[in-house]
Short mmCIF file of all heavy atoms in Angstrom, two decimals:
data_model
loop_
_atom_site.label_atom_id
_atom_site.label_comp_id
_atom_site.label_asym_id
_atom_site.label_seq_id
_atom_site.Cartn_x
_atom_site.Cartn_y
_atom_site.Cartn_z
N ASP A 70 -44.97 10.48 -14.90
CA ASP A 70 -44.57 9.73 -16.08
C ASP A 70 -44.45 10.72 -17.23
O ASP A 70 -44.76 11.90 -17.09
CB ASP A 70 -45.63 8.65 -16.40
CG ASP A 70 -45.04 7.50 -17.22
OD1 ASP A 70 -43.85 7.60 -17.61
OD2 ASP A 70 -45.77 6.53 -17.47
N GLY A 71 -44.01 10.23 -18.39
CA GLY A 71 -43.92 11.06 -19.59
C GLY A 71 -43.03 12.26 -19.36
O GLY A 71 -41.92 12.14 -18.83
N LEU A 72 -43.53 13.43 -19.73
CA LEU A 72 -42.79 14.69 -19.61
C LEU A 72 -42.21 14.88 -18.21
O LEU A 72 -41.16 15.49 -18.03
CB LEU A 72 -43.75 15.84 -19.94
CG LEU A 72 -43.33 17.28 -19.74
CD1 LEU A 72 -42.14 17.62 -20.65
CD2 LEU A 72 -44.49 18.22 -20.05
N TYR A 73 -42.92 14.35 -17.21
CA TYR A 73 -42.54 14.60 -15.81
C TYR A 73 -41.81 13.41 -15.17
O TYR A 73 -41.52 13.42 -13.98
CB TYR A 73 -43.80 14.91 -15.00
CG TYR A 73 -44.67 15.96 -15.67
CD1 TYR A 73 -45.74 15.57 -16.49
CD2 TYR A 73 -44.40 17.31 -15.53
CE1 TYR A 73 -46.52 16.53 -17.14
CE2 TYR A 73 -45.18 18.27 -16.17
CZ TYR A 73 -46.24 17.86 -16.98
OH TYR A 73 -47.00 18.82 -17.62
N GLY A 74 -41.52 12.39 -15.99
CA GLY A 74 -40.96 11.14 -15.48
C GLY A 74 -39.71 11.30 -14.64
O GLY A 74 -39.51 10.59 -13.65
N ASN A 75 -38.85 12.25 -15.04
CA ASN A 75 -37.57 12.40 -14.32
C ASN A 75 -37.58 13.56 -13.33
O ASN A 75 -36.54 13.91 -12.78
CB ASN A 75 -36.43 12.62 -15.33
CG ASN A 75 -36.22 11.37 -16.18
OD1 ASN A 75 -36.32 10.25 -15.67
ND2 ASN A 75 -35.98 11.56 -17.47
N TYR A 76 -38.74 14.16 -13.10
CA TYR A 76 -38.79 15.30 -12.18
C TYR A 76 -38.56 14.82 -10.74
O TYR A 76 -39.05 13.77 -10.33
CB TYR A 76 -40.17 15.98 -12.26
CG TYR A 76 -40.31 16.96 -13.41
CD1 TYR A 76 -39.80 16.67 -14.66
CD2 TYR A 76 -40.99 18.16 -13.23
CE1 TYR A 76 -39.95 17.55 -15.72
CE2 TYR A 76 -41.15 19.05 -14.29
CZ TYR A 76 -40.63 18.74 -15.52
OH TYR A 76 -40.78 19.62 -16.56
N ASP A 207 -51.91 18.85 -15.84
CA ASP A 207 -51.28 17.93 -16.79
C ASP A 207 -50.36 16.92 -16.11
O ASP A 207 -50.28 15.77 -16.53
CB ASP A 207 -50.49 18.75 -17.83
CG ASP A 207 -49.97 17.88 -18.94
OD1 ASP A 207 -50.79 17.22 -19.61
OD2 ASP A 207 -48.73 17.81 -19.11
N ALA A 211 -50.89 13.20 -17.13
CA ALA A 211 -49.80 12.56 -17.87
C ALA A 211 -49.15 11.46 -17.05
O ALA A 211 -48.47 10.59 -17.59
CB ALA A 211 -48.75 13.61 -18.27
#
Side-chain angles (χ1 to χ4, degrees):
D70 204 355
L72 173 63
Y73 311 95
N75 294 321
Y76 278 41
D207 187 59

